[in-house]
Amino acid sequence: MILGYKFKNFMSFRENVEFSMLAPKTKVKTRFPNNYSSTNTGIDVLKTAVIVGENAGGKSNFVRSLSYLQSFFKETDTVKAFRNTVNTNNNTDFCPQENNTLQVFEIEIFIRECGIYQYHLEVDFIGVVKESLKYKKQMKNKYKLILSVERDAHSVNCKRNNDKCSTSKECRASIKGVYRIDIPNLESEIEEAMEKATNSHKPLGLTISKLAMLGYDHAINFTEWIKEYLCPETNIINYDIYKSMRNGEEDLRILHDSRYLDIFKMIDYSIIDIKLDEEKPFSKTVVIRCKKDGSTFTRELGYDSSGVREFFAWAIQIFKVVYENKIVFADEMDRVLNPILSDRVISFISGKKHYGQFIFTTHNVLHLDLKNYMKEQIYFVTKDIETLESELYSLADFPDIRYETTKIYEFYMKGILGGTAIE
């Protein structure tokens, strides 16, 4: 489970962003007993959170930042900041040396039967600047260092003889870096090999990935969690079309599970079964419905409503949260769903005992409801109209907002809480 996440200098976000999934320590959480999971580490962690904001405010960029961080673990050859991911106000010149390309990511997680990990990564256009992994068994304990990598020095040799590039593709710089590595309790031979690999002239990948390949338990635990349990889903196109393009074996496995149907039926209780098409599950699967008179009728998913098609795909992600303890960040899942179904989904996730999490972005102001959410579960994204920089903050940052206030969305629509286009 994610306890906290921070990042800086990514796309529309320039300044430090802080996101927390820790349940409050106040008595208010007794009003919402199903909204959090209690762990054996002495902390309670929220199951769900909603991020509200205007169009082009930065909600999708927040989710993309997690995909970007995850990509370093899945594609480990080169880890560096890329021009199209750096905030535009820090990226005004074609020469990367003239820009502030330093990006910072930090994530704190809880892994069942393992403990709590804190991972910190800093990258720039050269590559890794800092990387560290810390671990503790209980929340009250102090973190112990697992690994630390830090760049001591670097040199950039421009082959264009300081002649300015007119495009980023013309960059012909050769780069060398010197790193200091600290891995307590690691055998000297392995540490020496790690230092040689880290300080080679080849592009530096993540040291934690190298440790995982060598069988280091803490590195394995964390890298597997990042690659397998973190599921940031950015809604670039219709989600059902996106899923049909991927057509993964994991999706088919879930679609065959009888528990999946219980989730899918939330969108239409007349649905009694599906006849899965193995080759084209997101278009050719047949949905079977029952009428009031007991007769049935069928329809291929591709000819069903857009809401049914998209929810057919999103229901897979909800399954992962509840039954596989995965962490899903869903970008605008409810854009084609009515508010009642959205509430039904959140109630379903909250009502089940699990260690998954569901965080979703939305334009639906009806989610601004303190009857279903704690203030710590509601976040806003807003973009400054002059700098075009995004900011993320929580409803918990507004102490004057009380749980007795029933129409939070009215404050939001009036611009009192930020995150609206009228700012």
Side-chain angles (χ1 to χ4, degrees):
M1 303 185 80
I2 284 185
L3 307 183
Y5 173 57
K6 301 176 183 179
F7 67 94
K8 185 177 182 179
N9 193 20
F10 180 81
M11 299 189 80
S12 60
F13 293 94
R14 186 181 189 183
E15 301 301 326
N16 192 51
V17 176
E18 296 189 15
F19 177 78
S20 174
M21 288 296 287
L22 292 176
K25 296 180 179 180
T26 60
K27 293 181 180 179
V28 71
K29 72 180 181 183
T30 60
R31 302 186 191 180
F32 305 90
N34 293 328
N35 288 29
Y36 60 91
S37 297
S38 296
T39 72
N40 58 3
T41 62
I43 51 173
D44 296 326
V45 190
L46 298 171
K47 294 179 182 178
T48 63
V50 56
I51 302 172
V52 183
E54 74 264 27
N55 289 318
K59 301 185 300 299
S60 296
N61 289 341
F62 174 80
V63 180
R64 289 190 185 106
S65 72
L66 287 152
S67 297
Y68 183 63
L69 175 61
Q70 186 185 56
S71 71
F72 294 150
F73 289 81
K74 291 187 173 182
E75 303 167 9
T76 58
D77 290 339
T78 303
V79 176
K80 64 179 183 179
F82 294 92
R83 178 180 175 84
N84 63 343
T85 67
V86 175
N87 180 267
T88 55
N89 291 324
N90 286 335
N91 195 18
T92 57
D93 196 289
F94 284 116
C95 178
Q97 297 184 78
E98 301 298 324
N99 300 321
N100 175 15
T101 62
L102 181 66
Q103 297 176 316
V104 182
F105 302 90
E106 184 174 292
I107 188 167
E108 188 176 30
I109 67 171
F110 158 72
I111 301 178
R112 289 182 67 196
E113 300 178 359
C114 293
I116 301 171
Y117 290 95
Q118 183 189 75
Y119 180 74
H120 182 91
L121 178 67
E122 298 181 22
V123 298
D124 60 11
F125 80 99
I126 296 173
V128 174
V129 178
K130 290 182 181 180
E131 181 186 7
S132 68
L133 178 68
K134 298 178 181 179
Y135 168 80
K136 60 183 177 181
K137 190 69 177 177
Q138 296 285 324
M139 193 66 177
K140 62 182 179 180
N141 300 145
K142 291 184 178 180
Y143 273 115
K144 294 181 180 180
L145 182 67
I146 303 300
L147 73 89
S148 174
V149 177
E150 187 168 355
R151 191 170 71 201
D152 274 345
H154 70 275
S155 61
V156 180
N157 180 23
C158 181
K159 295 182 180 180
R160 292 176 60 85
N161 297 319
N162 295 322
D163 183 22
K164 281 276 189 177
C165 299
S166 59
T167 69
S168 58
K169 293 181 179 180
E170 295 178 7
C171 182
R172 297 292 183 271
S174 60
I175 301 163
K176 295 181 181 179
V178 178
Y179 289 86
R180 182 176 69 253
I181 185 170
D182 181 14
I183 308 176
N185 304 320
L186 193 67
E187 293 181 11
S188 58
E189 294 84 357
I190 298 178
E191 186 169 1
E192 184 178 346
M194 291 290 295
E195 287 181 351
K196 288 181 178 179
T198 302
N199 288 299
S200 69
H201 296 316
K202 296 180 180 180
L204 177 65
L206 296 179
T207 301
I208 190 173
S209 297
K210 296 182 176 67
L211 276 180
M213 293 177 64
L214 291 171
Y216 204 62
D217 287 341
H218 287 305
I220 292 173
N221 293 339
F222 186 82
T223 55
E224 284 188 350
W225 187 94
I226 286 287
K227 291 191 290 185
E228 302 297 332
Y229 284 84
L230 182 61
C231 306
E233 298 288 343
T234 305
N235 194 10
I236 301 174
I237 55 179
N238 287 1
Y239 193 61
D240 60 311
I241 298 176
Y242 166 70
K243 295 293 278 187
S244 65
M245 292 167 61
R246 298 179 66 181
N247 201 19
E249 293 183 5
E250 183 182 24
D251 292 341
L252 288 174
R253 174 181 57 78
I254 293 173
L255 290 170
H256 276 294
D257 194 303
S258 60
R259 297 172 295 181
Y260 167 82
L261 183 61
D262 292 333
I263 299 174
F264 179 49
K265 287 167 61 176
M266 287 187 206
I267 195 166
D268 183 352
Y269 285 130
S270 72
I271 297 172
I272 59 172
D273 205 355
I274 57 174
K275 186 178 180 181
L276 188 64
D277 186 284
E278 296 280 348
E279 294 186 1
K280 297 182 178 180
F282 296 96
S283 59
K284 295 297 184 180
T285 290
V286 174
V287 180
I288 305 171
R289 291 175 168 89
C290 181
K291 299 180 180 180
K292 287 185 178 181
D293 61 8
S295 62
T296 62
F297 70 98
T298 62
R299 182 184 294 147
E300 278 191 6
L301 192 61
Y303 293 102
D304 219 311
S305 70
S306 59
V308 170
R309 294 198 307 269
E310 289 223 9
F311 191 69
F312 183 83
W314 279 117
I316 294 174
Q317 301 304 104
I318 298 167
F319 182 99
K320 291 178 181 179
V321 172
V322 174
Y323 298 115
E324 297 182 348
N325 296 320
K326 295 193 175 183
I327 317 303
V328 172
F329 284 78
D331 189 20
E332 295 187 27
M333 179 206 70
D334 62 347
R335 68 184 182 86
V336 294
L337 308 181
N338 65 60
I340 295 175
L341 177 57
S342 298
D343 287 345
R344 194 179 295 161
V345 168
I346 297 303
S347 296
F348 176 80
I349 294 173
S350 298
K352 295 286 186 178
K353 186 176 181 180
H354 57 84
Y355 290 93
Q357 290 170 301
F358 187 74
I359 299 98
F360 67 104
T361 70
T362 185
H363 297 293
N364 184 1
V365 297
L366 296 182
H367 285 291
L368 302 179
D369 180 4
L370 293 180
K371 292 182 179 179
N372 296 317
Y373 297 96
M374 287 183 268
K375 292 200 293 183
E376 287 77 7
Q377 293 176 272
I378 298 175
Y379 277 82
F380 300 97
V381 169
T382 188
K383 181 180 283 188
D384 188 285
I385 59 175
E386 295 182 359
T387 64
L388 300 182
E389 294 173 6
S390 299
E391 179 186 1
L392 178 80
Y393 52 92
S394 169
L395 183 61
D397 296 333
F398 295 84
D400 293 339
I401 300 296
R402 303 186 179 276
Y403 283 89
E404 292 74 20
T405 306
T406 57
K407 297 182 179 180
I408 303 299
Y409 64 89
E410 290 188 357
F411 291 113
Y412 173 78
M413 295 302 293
K414 293 177 180 178
I416 297 173
L417 301 176
T420 59
I422 64 173
E423 290 185 278

